[in-house]
Amino acid sequence: MKVTAIANANIALVKYWGKRDERRILPQNSSISVTTDCLSIKTTVEFSPEYKKDILILDDKEFKQGSKEYDEYFESFLNKLRNLAKKNISLYRHFNNFIRNSYIRNKFVIRRRTWREAPMFVKVVSQSNFPRGAGLASSSAGFAAFAAAANKALGLGFKNKELSILARQGSGSASRSIYDGFVEWKKGERKDGLDSFAEQIVNENYWPDFRMIICLTSKKEKKIKSRTGMAQTVKTSPFYDGWLKTIDDDLKKVRKGIIKRDFSLVGKTAEENCLKMHALMLSTKPPIIYWNSGTIELVHKVIEWRENGLECYFTIDAGPQVKILCLKKDLPEILKRAKKTAGIEDIIVTKPGPGPKIVENHLF
Ligand code: DP6
């Protein structure tokens, strides 16, 4: 069955940076994000005995075994999907024992044989409307769309909680893109990760005045992927324990700020949290420096504009792009100023947006 899903990237207000279990993708700390309404990835998946191998095409480029995308991200996620599908087949088998000689039974038997006898290869084609791997949370949208499409294609029947756990195993931040609006990924305590999933704080319509101006200072793919960078930080930054000690307070403030629509509280805490994460990156050995001159220019401008009475804050992820947080009323003035700032290649305005959707128009 061919299924297509669209999901949106989310931007963290309290960041996830570091894992306690790298294989299961379990985080050291909980995090909070807002799902965007326009950084979208559309993904079509088809599992079929007709394919002789797995095929992965991202933005018109095929990734084969030996590439980072295939080996580190795609293959392990796919194996998880295959295991889930196998478990599903044993459910069919169990069901079969009760419905002998019926049409339904025959249908299940055929399905079971197909899965068991033929290797289950998949074709995945994915298209994004923004640069991938440039610090715009593309893996959050990518794996949320992949998980949502695979859920339907394999008939897993997962609801949001299970879907969030599944997406998390592709990329941690994808656990949050399963929901619209403002979302918290609870780190969980269990070793198997079954309590590490995201939940919605408020939906996409709760705070209609909240805006994020994404200023692109470079569209180039970053040199150090989040996955590699955060693992190195946990191992080598002398400040990592300090980061963990302050997280609960940041989470409390951002959660409260969102519920009360207190922009100053959310903005101030998000900016401080982002700077703490970048302090971790800078203190990693060897250092991780995602910022370029355009990034620094904008950071200074945002602080200057705020000091002069225009309320705005910044947040930056694992890349050089600056996301300016502001309210709808201040958007035109901040946009005007951002456009005049040196080093800005492109600007995207976003607000709280929707979770994944299944759509009919496939990519192949
Ligand atoms: C800086 O979710 O991309 O954007 O789980 O290894 O795939 P993996 O990492 P990823 O890391 C996101 C890091 C961040 C902060 C955040 O989104 O919370």
Side-chain angles (χ1 to χ4, degrees), residues 162-233:
E162 287 78 20
L163 202 53
S164 173
I165 292 175
L166 176 62
R168 187 204 80 219
Q169 295 174 83
S171 178
S173 53
S175 64
R176 300 183 307 234
S177 275
I178 296 304
Y179 298 88
D180 62 293
F182 293 84
V183 180
E184 177 164 354
W185 172 18
K186 305 257 168 76
K187 70 183 172 84
E189 304 289 342
R190 289 171 58 138
K191 278 195 166 157
D192 61 10
L194 289 178
D195 58 351
S196 183
F197 51 84
E199 281 175 338
Q200 186 175 70
I201 300 174
V202 293
N203 72 24
E204 62 180 309
N205 303 315
Y206 184 83
W207 196 354
D209 285 351
F210 188 92
R211 290 289 180 283
M212 204 179 275
I213 305 170
I214 301 173
C215 302
L216 281 84
T217 63
S218 167
K219 292 182 188 167
K220 282 198 209 119
E221 205 166 309
K222 62 193 176 202
K223 288 199 185 108
I224 307 168
K225 288 208 179 282
S226 306
R227 186 158 299 181
T228 322
M230 66 173 80
Q232 197 62 12
T233 297

Side-chain angles (χ1 to χ4, degrees), residues 119-162:
M120 255 213 309
F121 288 120
V122 66
K123 180 170 178 180
V124 179
V125 176
S126 181
Q127 202 67 46
S128 64
N129 68 357
F130 63 98
R132 277 184 206 253
L136 289 172
S138 52
S139 67
S140 69
F143 278 100
F146 192 176
N151 182 32
K152 180 135 196 250
L154 295 171
L156 300 175
F158 284 174
K159 298 276 184 292
N160 283 344
K161 178 179 148 184
E162 287 78 20

Side-chain angles (χ1 to χ4, degrees), residues 88-144:
N88 230 23
I89 295 157
S90 44
L91 277 182
Y92 286 139
R93 199 174 303 148
H94 179 71
F95 193 43
N96 265 334
N97 293 335
F98 294 96
I99 322 168
R100 293 192 187 283
N101 301 327
S102 68
Y103 163 73
I104 298 173
R105 176 179 176 250
N106 291 337
K107 208 165 108 185
F108 282 140
V109 168
I110 293 164
R111 236 166 131 166
R112 192 181 79 201
R113 277 212 194 106
T114 316
W115 288 104
R116 266 204 326 181
E117 286 161 16
M120 255 213 309
F121 288 120
V122 66
K123 180 170 178 180
V124 179
V125 176
S126 181
Q127 202 67 46
S128 64
N129 68 357
F130 63 98
R132 277 184 206 253
L136 289 172
S138 52
S139 67
S140 69
F143 278 100

Side-chain angles (χ1 to χ4, degrees), residues 288-322:
I288 304 167
I289 307 172
Y290 285 118
W291 299 14
N292 60 25
S293 54
T295 318
I296 296 181
E297 182 72 15
L298 256 179
V299 162
H300 286 298
K301 289 284 181 207
V302 168
I303 295 171
E304 184 190 305
W305 299 338
R306 191 165 71 226
E307 280 170 358
N308 293 332
L310 186 60
E311 194 174 17
C312 53
Y313 302 87
F314 62 82
T315 187
I316 305 162
D317 291 290
Q321 332 302 356
V322 180

Side-chain angles (χ1 to χ4, degrees), residues 21-62:
D21 181 330
E22 293 189 8
R23 194 172 62 82
R24 291 194 173 92
I25 311 197
L26 296 172
Q28 290 270 2
N29 63 276
S30 300
S31 52
I32 294 181
S33 63
V34 55
T35 301
T36 66
D37 69 339
C38 59
L39 300 179
S40 310
I41 293 191
K42 181 176 181 181
T43 299
T44 301
V45 305
E46 184 177 42
F47 289 88
S48 163
E50 275 161 34
Y51 295 122
K52 303 289 169 255
K53 61 176 181 102
D54 295 318
I55 302 164
L56 173 67
I57 300 172
L58 306 178
D59 293 337
D60 304 321
K61 184 173 167 203
E62 182 166 357

